Amino acid sequence: MPTPLIAVTTDAKDLEKYTWHATPQPYLDAAISTAGVLPVLVPSLGDKYDLDSLLETVNGVLVTGSASNVYPALYGGDATDENGPYDHARDATTLPLIRRAIEKGVPLLAICRGIQELNVALGGTLAMEVHERDGAFDHRGDEEAAFDARFAIRQSVKITPGGCLAGLFDTSEIAVNSVHRQAASAVAPRLQVEAMADDGTVEAVSVKDAPGFALGVQWHPEYWAHNDNASARIFKAFGEAVHRHATARISARIAAE
């Protein structure tokens, strides 16, 4: 069987007088080397897509992190310059893509901004600046630090018993590299909390009624997927789901012939 394709979301960035559609390489490396799938970048072109055609072509969706934030008006919030930057083209692409992938049972892994998009796509809201809440940790990374230091594994999260993540790990707590300004506030009704930080911040969710694998994590398993067991386990589980989905599709096509 050919290596299954997955759709990988992109940011729309203005550079050299062009609009570029791009995603950081660690997501692509983790998809290829750890999940065993082939990533295909999906430009942020909004309603120019036929999502059904896209999702018939790929067997998984990886929603990446980003420095930009979901536009607050999409979940009833007020936008300010301080809570930016924003990426309207990405919002217009990822939110409907997430909803349609879940509906069609295409495996979905949403990371950092991705878990926030997942929550908003299904009717949840976001806390804009988590570190400003009373008793909250400062989950932000040091933007001046080297990447290995910025994305260092330094925070523990408690895993919800009986959930999707609990099925991946034989422990109730794992160490992660959670680097973010925003997080889920009101969790969408269709989502189940899979992990939380000690300050009450939602760090992982799954879609309760999804017909396929649908997981969102606030941390960055892509960065250490090559040498951290917990990070690798998440990408391997996603890859296994993608391969199962691809195999099931091939079997269905053969049976229909």
Side-chain angles (χ1 to χ4, degrees):
M1 185 180 75
T3 302
L5 302 178
I6 64 164
V8 180
T9 59
T10 58
D11 299 335
K13 293 181 174 290
D14 293 328
L15 179 66
E16 299 175 348
K17 299 182 180 180
Y18 290 99
T19 298
W20 296 73
H21 297 261
T23 201
Q25 185 162 331
Y27 295 96
L28 310 179
D29 289 341
I32 294 171
S33 299
T34 306
V37 297
L38 185 61
V40 177
L41 299 190
V42 175
S44 290
L45 299 176
D47 61 6
K48 294 180 182 178
Y49 279 112
D50 177 345
L51 292 180
D52 285 343
S53 293
L54 173 63
L55 293 170
E56 285 298 324
T57 303
V58 301
N59 286 287
V61 175
L62 175 60
V63 189
T64 62
S66 174
S68 67
N69 291 323
V70 178
Y71 195 60
L74 294 169
Y75 54 89
D78 295 322
T80 66
D81 290 341
E82 291 77 13
N83 295 133
Y86 304 116
D87 187 339
H88 299 289
R90 173 166 169 148
D91 292 338
T93 306
T94 56
L95 300 188
L97 174 60
I98 287 168
R99 286 189 287 261
R100 194 66 178 134
I102 293 170
E103 183 179 344
K104 293 179 71 67
V106 176
L108 173 78
L109 176 59
I111 294 173
C112 195
R113 189 194 209 267
I115 188 179
Q116 297 166 20
E117 291 166 309
L118 172 59
N119 192 40
V120 171
L122 298 183
T125 65
L126 303 179
M128 293 185 186
E129 304 290 346
V130 176
H131 54 279
E132 295 179 354
R133 299 184 307 181
D134 289 341
F137 302 155
D138 190 343
H139 296 260
R140 296 172 297 175
D142 182 355
E143 294 187 0
E144 301 301 320
F147 267 38
D148 281 3
R150 184 181 179 193
F151 289 96
I153 296 172
R154 59 178 177 268
Q155 176 186 314
S156 64
V157 297
K158 290 184 170 59
I159 298 173
T160 303
C164 173
L165 279 183
L168 300 183
F169 303 107
D170 58 0
T171 179
S172 61
E173 189 170 329
I174 59 172
V176 302
N177 56 343
S178 197
V179 181
H180 58 101
R181 291 167 52 200
Q182 300 198 149
S185 179
V187 176
R190 294 177 64 189
L191 296 181
Q192 170 177 301
V193 175
E194 293 282 346
M196 294 186 71
D198 287 339
D199 66 351
T201 300
V202 174
E203 291 283 345
V205 298
S206 63
V207 183
K208 291 184 286 189
D209 59 351
F213 182 97
L215 176 69
V217 297
Q218 187 60 72
W219 63 90
H220 287 272
E222 80 287 350
Y223 198 85
W224 298 109
H226 62 288
N227 65 1
D228 172 63
N229 181 63
S231 299
R233 183 61 259 177
I234 289 171
F235 266 89
K236 287 178 180 177
F238 173 58
E240 290 164 2
V242 171
H243 278 265
R244 287 195 300 271
H245 190 264
T247 300
R249 275 184 166 173
I250 290 172
S251 298
R253 288 168 186 159
I254 292 174
E257 291 176 354

